[in-house]
Amino acid sequence: MEYQEQFFKNQFKMIYNARIAEEDKFEQIQQEQREIFKKYFSNASSTIEDYRVRAEKVKKLIKLQVKERKAFVQEKESLIRAHEERKRKLWEEEMTLEEKFDLDLARLMEKYSPKQSEQV
């Protein structure tokens, strides 16, 4: 039983570490895209009018990125809350199983315990 428990703990750890790595990769890609965009618009030489148009595009993109980032964070928090609720329910179920096992074991021990009257 301990081997199985350790196995599952190791599996959970691997899943968790993979999740963290994926989130880090996601954040890195987001940052790289922002840097590419900044370089593209800052390196272009042109007229004042072109600069204004580029500046307006940058402003719109930043607003869009902020809006998308907020939506991402909200959806991620919602996922986390739902995941934590499912885990809480599993823990409650596990507690119920343990309590039922204790009750069944107590009944079994009572069934096979020597009776005072039978010992006499």
Side-chain angles (χ1 to χ4, degrees):
M1 189 68 171
E2 286 182 35
Y3 174 76
Q4 284 182 330
E5 185 175 342
Q6 188 59 45
F7 171 79
F8 284 112
K9 284 181 180 181
N10 289 339
Q11 294 298 313
F12 287 134
K13 187 175 183 178
M14 288 173 46
I15 291 169
Y16 179 75
N17 288 340
R19 181 183 309 142
I20 296 298
E22 284 297 316
E23 287 180 355
D24 289 346
K25 183 179 175 182
F26 175 78
E27 289 296 326
Q28 182 180 1
I29 290 170
Q30 295 292 322
Q31 183 64 33
E32 288 171 358
Q33 287 179 340
R34 286 189 290 272
E35 291 300 319
I36 289 170
F37 188 77
K38 285 180 186 177
K39 286 179 184 178
Y40 173 75
F41 282 101
S42 66
N43 291 339
S45 59
S46 58
T47 66
I48 293 175
E49 185 60 32
D50 288 340
Y51 178 79
R52 279 191 216 133
V53 169
R54 282 196 321 269
E56 189 61 34
K57 285 182 181 179
V58 168
K59 186 178 175 181
K60 287 179 182 178
L61 180 66
I62 290 171
K63 284 183 180 180
L64 178 63
Q65 286 179 334
V66 167
K67 183 179 176 181
E68 287 179 346
R69 182 68 183 166
K70 284 181 181 179
F72 172 78
V73 168
Q74 288 174 342
E75 288 184 41
K76 182 179 177 185
E77 287 173 353
S78 178
L79 281 173
I80 290 170
R81 283 191 302 273
H83 180 66
E84 288 174 348
E85 179 63 20
R86 288 188 297 267
K87 285 172 61 174
R88 185 190 61 75
K89 287 179 181 178
L90 283 173
W91 291 331
E92 287 176 357
E93 185 178 326
E94 186 174 355
M95 182 63 76
T96 301
L97 287 171
E98 291 298 321
E99 289 170 349
K100 183 179 179 336
F101 177 76
D102 286 347
L103 183 61
D104 291 343
L105 183 59
R107 287 180 184 151
L108 180 64
M109 289 187 295
E110 184 179 321
K111 178 180 175 181
Y112 287 98
S113 66
K115 309 284 189 266
Q116 291 291 349
S117 61
E118 291 178 0
Q119 290 180 350
V120 175

